[in-house]
Amino acid sequence: MAATRLIALHKNKGKSVAACLKSRTNYAKNPDKTNRGELVSSYECSPLTADEEFMLSKRQYELMTGRRQKSDVIAYQIRQSFKPGEITAEEANKVGYELAMRFTKGKYAFIVATHTDRQHIHNHVIFNSTALDGTRKFRDFFFSALAVQRLSDLICLEHQLSVIEKKPYRERQKRVVYPPKESNRDRLCGIIDTILAEKPEDYEAFLQKLEQQGYEVKRGKYTAVKGKGQKRFIRFRTLGTGYSEEEIKAVLEGKAKHQPYQKKPTKEQSFQLLVDIQGKMAQGKSVGYKKWATKFNLKEMSKTLLFLQEQKIGSAEELRERAAAATERYHVMGDSIKAAEARLTEIAVLKTNIINYAKTREVYAAYRKAGYSKVFLEAHREEITLHKVAKAAFDEAGLKKLPNVKALDAEFAELLTKKKAAYPDYRKARNEMQELVRAQKNIERFFAEEKPAQENEQAR
């Protein structure tokens, strides 16, 4: 079984045609992927100088025809991927060579490079866009990719290999499960887990192993690393529990045991809002959209009813009351957090003014003894201004006696602790409110759409 793809190779902006050909052929001939070049074959060119011979044909084309290439297509590539374990690398190269020869009819030079760096063996066939005789260019005709696939299937059958059987459209299954995406932080945590399992001698040996994995290490107060292709450094202490410098050093010294990183699965939204089909149709949506929206609404309504069963809500009135209570609770908690934030800001400003007032008291007293001299004001303008601002703030707040700074610090710390402790309950209340309100809207919209339908049936 072989899957194929025909790709037009274009000239990169800012590079010459020769440089682009060289980079494309060098990638295909990569010795690490082609068993040190043993899995590279060619037709009417040498694998070592394929790019130069391609360029020679292009110059010959210009001399013979007097025409210059208008498009930026410099060559074509056929990718041919085989089923894992079904074919050897040597046989795959022969199949790729035969495919290239029969597709180009021997009129275009090409190279065939078989890569074995993946689980599936695959060919990179690169053929020149200019014919060997220099009189014509390859014309990428309509359905050329389909022609490549059918020719590849025919050759696979001749070599007693399986082919891809296409199912009828109605029997095809849509992909619903996708591999989870791995972020740079997740990848770094996995590599750190692997290195710690090898038990390096010390922290420096640990960092050296990270460098061997392709990471750039920035040593300093906080260790940070940057992988290949990343724009920013990542500090260890931002990776979470078990990955700070101190925790890693404790594991290396045998004082603690490392717990490998486990990514928490993201919680999917239980159900979504129903689509306003009538409103969308009024905006000019098609009949196909209406069919999709009808199915979508039925699925989301089923999820909504399951949610109501889990919450033991048996009527629309009870749902309305629960949603109103959840909304009220959410707003009360939000107002409490906002009040704490306002008080924290007030304490910070008051503390700053008290400190400034204390620091500038003697200067302002001297300024007053000097009879509010302009010369003294110019010499100590900053201190006097700070003193006046602080005094005006105290008068505006109606403070007759200034509070103790230590008492303010204690109140600030207590409010900050309460605010942080309230956030989990605040988020929980917000999620509960959103689900109940969403369910209420779905129920209202569903029955609003059902009512006109019932009236139409009664009229008939």
Side-chain angles (χ1 to χ4, degrees):
M1 181 181 75
T4 60
R5 184 183 177 191
L6 178 63
I7 306 169
L9 303 180
H10 295 262
K11 174 181 173 294
N12 292 339
K13 189 175 181 180
K15 280 189 175 183
S16 64
V17 176
C20 293
L21 280 173
K22 186 174 180 63
S23 64
R24 306 295 172 82
T25 54
N26 283 350
Y27 175 81
K29 298 182 297 182
N30 189 339
D32 296 333
K33 301 181 179 184
T34 58
N35 195 15
R36 298 181 181 179
E38 294 180 2
L39 299 174
V40 179
S41 57
S42 62
Y43 171 72
E44 291 296 333
C45 64
S46 170
L48 300 175
T49 58
D51 56 316
E52 297 175 4
E53 294 182 56
F54 283 13
M55 283 300 302
L56 187 61
S57 296
K58 295 181 184 299
R59 294 191 187 99
Q60 185 180 358
Y61 170 81
E62 292 181 4
L63 291 173
M64 291 182 65
T65 63
R67 296 193 296 267
R68 295 186 66 85
Q69 183 173 341
K70 292 183 180 180
S71 69
D72 60 349
V73 178
I74 57 176
Y76 290 87
Q77 179 180 190
I78 299 174
R79 289 185 190 170
Q80 188 181 31
S81 304
F82 298 93
K83 185 179 179 180
E86 189 180 54
I87 193 172
T88 63
E90 292 75 14
E91 187 181 1
N93 191 268
K94 292 178 182 178
V95 171
Y97 188 94
E98 187 175 349
L99 171 64
M101 179 64 72
R102 290 167 68 169
F103 183 70
T104 62
K105 299 179 181 179
K107 296 179 180 180
Y108 300 85
F110 62 79
I111 63 170
V112 182
T114 304
H115 287 190
T116 58
D117 58 322
R118 301 288 179 90
Q119 187 179 5
H120 62 282
I121 294 172
H122 57 283
N123 289 327
H124 288 258
V125 180
I126 299 179
F127 64 90
N128 195 3
S129 60
T130 307
L132 289 168
D133 57 6
T135 59
R136 63 175 65 86
K137 295 277 188 179
F138 176 81
R139 188 178 183 86
D140 189 6
F141 54 90
F142 199 61
F143 286 137
S144 57
L146 182 60
V148 171
Q149 180 63 61
R150 289 186 174 179
L151 182 57
S152 173
D153 290 345
L154 181 61
I155 295 171
C156 286
L157 288 173
E158 292 173 358
H159 286 261
Q160 298 180 351
L161 300 173
S162 62
V163 296
I164 300 174
E165 296 181 1
K166 291 187 177 179
K167 293 183 178 180
Y169 180 79
R170 294 185 180 276
E171 296 181 11
R172 298 177 191 174
Q173 293 183 352
K174 186 177 179 181
R175 183 176 180 180
V176 293
V177 179
Y178 294 88
K181 292 183 178 180
E182 188 180 37
S183 65
N184 293 328
R185 293 176 177 273
D186 295 339
R187 193 179 304 112
L188 177 58
C189 289
I191 292 174
I192 291 175
D193 294 340
T194 304
I195 294 175
L196 290 177
E198 297 173 1
K199 297 181 179 180
E201 297 177 0
D202 52 19
Y203 189 66
E204 185 59 32
F206 166 79
L207 295 180
Q208 290 176 2
K209 285 185 176 290
L210 265 178
E211 290 175 336
Q212 292 172 6
Q213 293 286 340
Y215 281 91
E216 179 185 349
V217 179
K218 184 167 68 174
R219 296 166 174 81
K221 183 178 179 181
Y222 301 110
T223 307
V225 297
K226 182 172 72 173
K228 187 177 180 181
Q230 292 179 212
K231 294 182 179 180
R232 297 181 179 179
F233 281 88
I234 300 175
R235 291 181 177 179
F236 285 163
R237 67 191 188 99
T238 64
L239 292 174
T241 307
Y243 292 93
S244 65
E245 292 93 329
E246 295 77 12
E247 290 170 317
I248 292 174
K249 288 177 181 178
V251 171
L252 294 174
E253 293 171 1
K255 298 178 180 178
K257 187 177 180 181
H258 180 67
Q259 294 293 334
Y261 172 77
Q262 291 183 349
K263 185 177 180 180
K264 296 180 180 178
T266 55
K267 185 181 179 182
E268 295 183 358
Q269 195 177 46
S270 55
F271 56 93
Q272 301 179 39
L273 283 172
L274 299 186
V275 177
D276 183 7
I277 299 177
Q278 295 178 0
K280 293 292 183 181
M281 294 302 293
Q283 294 175 8
K285 291 291 184 179
S286 64
V287 177
Y289 179 86
K290 183 179 180 181
K291 291 180 179 179
W292 169 86
T294 303
K295 291 181 180 180
F296 175 84
N297 282 359
L298 287 174
K299 290 180 181 178
E300 298 307 315
M301 194 61 202
S302 300
K303 294 179 182 178
T304 304
L305 292 176
L306 288 174
F307 168 76
L308 294 177
Q309 289 178 1
E310 291 174 359
Q311 299 295 320
K312 298 180 180 179
I313 299 175
S315 65
E317 184 64 29
E318 185 180 356
L319 174 60
R320 197 176 299 110
E321 292 176 359
R322 288 274 295 274
T327 304
E328 180 67 23
R329 182 165 58 253
Y330 167 72
H331 287 306
V332 168
M333 295 184 71
D335 293 340
S336 175
I337 290 175
K338 288 178 181 177
E341 290 176 345
R343 179 56 183 165
L344 288 171
T345 304
E346 183 182 339
I347 291 173
V349 173
L350 181 59
K351 181 181 172 183
T352 302
N353 286 329
I354 290 173
I355 293 173
N356 290 339
Y357 186 82
K359 286 182 179 180
T360 58
R361 182 184 297 172
E362 295 180 359
V363 175
Y364 193 81
Y367 172 59
R368 189 168 52 190
K369 287 181 181 179
Y372 303 103
S373 168
K374 292 184 178 179
V375 177
F376 190 92
L377 175 62
E378 290 298 327
H380 302 86
R381 179 176 292 276
E382 184 178 355
E383 292 90 341
I384 294 172
T385 302
L386 287 174
H387 191 87
K388 287 182 177 180
V389 169
K391 184 67 171 61
F394 299 150
D395 294 341
E396 185 179 354
L399 294 175
K400 297 181 179 180
K401 183 179 179 182
L402 296 182
N404 191 352
V405 174
K406 290 185 178 180
L408 289 176
D409 287 339
E411 184 184 356
F412 188 93
E414 184 181 359
L415 281 172
L416 190 61
T417 303
K418 288 182 179 179
K419 176 191 166 186
K420 289 181 178 180
Y423 263 115
D425 294 334
Y426 174 73
R427 295 190 190 97
K428 185 178 178 181
R430 180 193 60 193
N431 295 336
E432 183 182 353
M433 177 203 68
Q434 289 175 346
E435 286 184 331
L436 289 169
V437 170
R438 203 184 308 128
Q440 182 185 355
K441 289 182 178 179
N442 284 355
I443 293 293
E444 291 174 354
R445 176 160 292 169
F446 180 78
F447 284 112
E449 291 179 355
E450 284 291 314
K451 190 175 180 180
Q454 292 176 358
E455 291 176 355
N456 291 335
E457 289 182 2
Q458 290 175 359
R460 290 178 185 175

